[in-house]
Amino acid sequence: MKTFSMNPMPSVFRSLLPLLLLSVLLYSLPANSQVINPRTLPQDDGIGDPYILRFRGKYYLYCSSGGYGVKCWSTWNLADWNYEGLCVPVTETTINAAYAPEVIYRNGTFYMYTSPGGNGHYILSSASPTGPFSVQTGNLGHSIDGSVFTDDNAQMYFTYAGGGGIDAATMSGPLSISTGSTLTGTSLNGWTEGPTIFKRNGVYYITYTGNHVQSKGYRVNYSTAATALGSYSPGANNPLLLSSEGSFFGLGHSSSFIGPDLDTWYMTYHNLTAVYNRKLNIDPMGFNGDRLLVYGPTNWTQPAPLLPTFYDRFDRATIGSNWTNVNGGVWGMYNQELMWQDTRTTTQWYRQITTAISAANYTAEFNMKEMERGGDAARFGAVFSYIDENTFGSALISSFSNTLETDIKVNGASIGVNSIPLPAGWDYLKWHVIRVEKEGTTFKIYVDGMLKSTRTANITAGGKIGVTTYNDHADFGYTAFSNRVNGSGVFSFYKPIPGTIPAVHYNEGGEGVGYHDLTGGNAGGKYRSENVDIRDTEEGGENIGWNQTGEWYQYNVNVQSTGPYHLGLRYATTYTSCKVRIYCDGADVSGIVSIPTTTNWSVWRTAVLKNLNLPAGNHTIRLETVEGEFDFSTLKFESGTTTAPGGSDNFDSGSFSGLWNYSNGDFSISSGRATINGLGKKAMGDVGWTDYTVEADVLCPSGGNGGLIFRVRNPAAGELGISNVVSSDYLQGYYAGIETGGIVFGKQNYNWTTLSYKTQALTAGQSYKLRAVLNGANIKIYLNDMTTPVIDYTDPAPFISGKAGIRVHSANMSFDNFLISASATATATSLVPVNCRITPLDK
């Protein structure tokens, strides 16, 4: 008979429960097969600074509070949400206006970290994820936006907002935080907040937000490091999330978690609708090597997150036919939430094994706790890749020795038991989770999110999963497996357009479905074990290479709206005769497009395929190699336009033209010129414009600089809508300006990168005609002489499209005769074939 410390109903009565429900295998999407950002939840009066905790297969959402109490919601599938009420009651008056509450589970207790009113952190605790939480500490300081990360060795870290970046401190336990210091590589050149650390494949990722929650340019960046407190390097593809115009803006304060399919990572964040009114958003993340991307931001209908291939919540009265008993034992169900085994003997392993069989590669999860040992040799845990009693893996917990024991038997032969110490003081009467990732012949085994064991065994086929006990009385909760592992959940996901798609995230299905490859094997030996040739990319991550004429790759996409889109194809080739074509659902949408040589396989460029007409909704894109050979790493889709570039303003009317659709800074008109003293920018036109000419008469300032901006997207102000020093860089696009020392030319991606500088003595107070001519990746800058450019620059990683305008940085100056006009079509490049590659060594 089963004994309970908290739930006293004896096991004999459980079998008398009248409800009989069969365990069900669940595949593909939940009943609500679509979702849309921003999410609308019950009792939703604004959700800012969202944080999502996963516990026993269920998700719990917490957010900032505008007064007393903290709200909580729950969901099984990230689509259908239930309001759980206030998890921090209004009687906890210390926690008033709780900023960014985050909750972790550790060894039977839930801990909440929050800074009331942004005035330092308090820690609360509860026995339930839905509360009630009560205050356990005084004010521990550490600014705002605290977040906890637990490493594989159980060491805990606390990150929080700092003036020079993200600060981090070690923790000696969940209620103790040491003095912190700033992590290198985590600054957004101003106030930086909202950190989250997670670890994947040995790499530490930190995401962070800046610079002000009320800026439309609030955004999310990430950095990576080799250690939790190590030197972080910002991602080359930052920002991860940014949208500053239209009705969807102010995106930030993110956190990351693994989704219902046990494999796909998701990012939750908020968008801004009004002053301190924010809404919840969730988008999947993808990985290409160490490079992280978010499949978003999206604010249109998306497929709902995938569920596991098999899962069981044990929410019924009997075990059901989807489990097979091995060796007996006394098994039962309790409270429609768990399965138990209550026979304690030293002579037999008792198991429950699923009838469902996994694919060769999979991820599995097992939630469990011990009720009572039958002796020192007691064990309870998980079995995986189960073929029969002679071939299977096991991950067993010994509460007596406080260890995890892993082993894999193949045809009756053990590879050897590996005994790994678990954290001191771990309470096995509380819930713990074992996670198994199988990829090829490698098995990674986690306990409570900590990677504890990596084993290799010659099991290449699929198998079953199950739970087991030996001389032990144990409970088993949510159990599942998914035929996804190591990020493969995004391969066939319908990826948003606009958006960026790594080349290696082509569809599943194999030859003739996800791809067509004319040679066997993977010549580069990287990333995916199929016939597609994949190698490491010099710019980070992996790329597809060794293409031959006629080979192709397919990508499921979700197009925001019907219309033209530009495709930026990131590629490298030594061939001078390369041609590519794009199909949508089998229809040619690009024609045959020539892409010029990059001169070397390690030299990468972006070819822009303009105005591909795509229909709204879910479709399949195919990229075909028509001629030659090239490697490609990403496909970046941006919204295009059918509107030809054009627009002007001579400021003679005394007011600004209605064509200006963005303005930041104290611009005014004086004597028929646009003037400003300080910082600011204005823009007009369509973000879909690619090639055009923009010019203006620009008065040279005595200090600072000013000039033209072009291919501009996502312009924004800095703090609270007021232009300041950093907000002059708050845009994505190019800038060409003049100052007394010469002409400056560079890129702005919410930071500044100088591309070229032409030293030339210019006279303060004199007007100069400044012109920029954009033709693909080539940009020419002219000053007065409109025949010979002062700067002629070809950008290997160009901004694809955007509008144009004027910008001033710390200067007193004026503009006249602003003009945008269409550019001439580029001259076609001659094509001469060269030798093809034979082996990967040619790289």
Side-chain angles (χ1 to χ4, degrees), residues 149 151-152 197-206 224-225 258 263-265 285-292 435 437 439 444 446 449 451 485-491 505 527 542:
F149 166 70
D151 210 342
D152 294 333
I197 291 179
F198 65 92
K199 186 178 183 180
R200 182 180 181 275
N201 291 344
V203 177
Y204 295 82
Y205 294 81
I206 184 169
T224 59
I258 295 175
D263 175 64
T264 303
W265 282 82
M285 303 194 300
F287 297 86
N288 177 12
D290 296 348
R291 183 167 291 195
L292 166 65
R435 174 183 171 92
E437 297 174 359
E439 188 170 20
K444 293 182 178 180
Y446 302 75
L451 178 60
V485 68
N486 201 19
S488 66
V490 300
F491 291 167
H505 287 185
Y527 200 71
E542 281 86 27

Side-chain angles (χ1 to χ4, degrees), residues 342-375:
D342 192 19
T343 299
R344 283 155 278 171
T345 174
T346 59
T347 61
Q348 188 64 65
W349 286 99
Y350 301 121
R351 313 192 202 284
Q352 288 287 347
I353 305 297
T354 64
T355 57
I357 302 174
S358 74
N361 296 325
Y362 64 85
T363 302
E365 178 181 308
F366 313 83
N367 290 266
M368 61 191 68
K369 64 179 178 178
E370 188 175 63
M371 295 301 292
E372 185 177 358
R373 288 201 303 263

Side-chain angles (χ1 to χ4, degrees), residues 715-730:
E719 299 178 4
L720 293 173
I722 301 171
S723 177
N724 55 26
V725 173
V726 295
S727 72
S728 63
D729 290 335
Y730 271 32

Side-chain angles (χ1 to χ4, degrees), residues 370-506:
E370 188 175 63
M371 295 301 292
E372 185 177 358
R373 288 201 303 263
D376 295 346
R379 303 287 190 274
F380 67 105
V383 295
F384 48 90
S385 288
Y386 185 93
I387 307 299
D388 53 34
E389 284 293 288
N390 291 313
T391 301
F392 66 92
S394 60
L396 309 172
I397 290 175
S398 168
S399 61
F400 176 75
S401 59
N402 196 37
T403 57
L404 168 72
E405 297 175 357
T406 65
D407 188 17
I408 301 174
K409 290 201 308 183
V410 182
N411 296 325
S414 167
I415 67 170
V417 175
N418 187 1
S419 182
I420 306 103
L422 292 173
W426 233 235
D427 184 355
Y428 298 103
L429 299 179
K430 307 299 184 183
W431 287 105
H432 297 277
V433 59
I434 291 176
R435 174 183 171 92
V436 178
E437 297 174 359
K438 179 185 182 293
E439 188 170 20
T441 58
T442 299
F443 297 79
K444 293 182 178 180
I445 302 167
Y446 302 75
V447 176
D448 293 345
M450 301 175 287
L451 178 60
K452 289 299 181 182
S453 181
T454 300
R455 310 301 304 269
T456 301
N458 188 27
I459 300 180
T460 57
K464 304 174 182 180
I465 66 170
V467 294
T468 188
T469 68
Y470 181 86
N471 194 19
D472 215 340
H473 175 185
D475 289 350
F476 300 96
Y478 181 85
T479 303
F481 73 76
S482 173
N483 294 330
R484 311 284 183 182
V485 68
N486 201 19
S488 66
V490 300
F491 291 167
S492 294
F493 168 77
Y494 282 86
K495 303 163 183 68
I497 290 180
T500 298
I501 304 173
V504 295
H505 287 185
Y506 59 86

Side-chain angles (χ1 to χ4, degrees), residues 455-677:
R455 310 301 304 269
T456 301
N458 188 27
I459 300 180
T460 57
K464 304 174 182 180
I465 66 170
V467 294
T468 188
T469 68
Y470 181 86
N471 194 19
D472 215 340
H473 175 185
D475 289 350
F476 300 96
Y478 181 85
T479 303
F481 73 76
S482 173
N483 294 330
R484 311 284 183 182
V485 68
N486 201 19
S488 66
V490 300
F491 291 167
S492 294
F493 168 77
Y494 282 86
K495 303 163 183 68
I497 290 180
T500 298
I501 304 173
V504 295
H505 287 185
Y506 59 86
N507 288 356
E508 297 167 300
E511 171 62 39
V513 179
Y515 64 88
H516 175 50
D517 191 285
L518 296 173
T519 58
N522 180 343
K526 298 291 184 177
Y527 200 71
R528 296 175 70 168
S529 57
E530 297 178 298
N531 289 333
V532 175
D533 304 314
I534 299 176
R535 70 173 179 95
D536 289 332
T537 304
E538 292 78 7
E539 297 182 317
E542 281 86 27
N543 67 264
I544 293 177
W546 295 279
N547 300 309
Q548 298 182 36
T549 299
E551 293 185 342
W552 49 258
Y553 311 92
Q554 296 207 136
Y555 304 87
N556 287 339
V557 298
N558 182 348
V559 182
Q560 182 176 23
S561 57
T562 298
Y565 291 86
H566 307 310
L567 168 59
L569 178 66
R570 192 74 177 154
Y571 76 103
T573 184
T574 61
Y575 282 61
T576 54
S577 181
C578 276
K579 296 178 182 178
V580 64
R581 177 162 44 196
I582 306 297
Y583 298 86
C584 179
D585 297 338
D588 184 349
V589 294
S590 69
I592 297 175
V593 179
S594 297
I595 56 176
T597 181
T598 66
T599 72
N600 194 290
W601 295 110
S602 63
V603 175
W604 290 83
R605 298 286 185 266
T606 299
V608 180
L609 285 65
K610 302 174 188 174
N611 290 323
L612 310 182
N613 285 307
L614 303 177
N618 293 341
H619 303 280
T620 300
I621 294 291
R622 176 184 292 185
L623 183 149
E624 177 194 9
T625 303
V626 176
E627 182 179 330
E629 182 180 341
F630 59 91
D631 294 3
F632 70 107
S633 61
T634 57
L635 300 88
K636 182 177 183 180
F637 290 89
E638 289 187 355
S639 54
T641 182
T642 57
T643 303
S648 64
D649 196 351
N650 61 16
F651 313 110
D652 289 343
S653 68
S655 60
F656 289 103
S657 165
L659 296 176
W660 297 100
N661 49 33
Y662 177 82
S663 184
N664 165 235
D666 295 326
F667 282 95
S668 62
I669 294 178
S670 177
S671 302
R673 297 179 70 92
T675 66
I676 188 172
N677 185 4

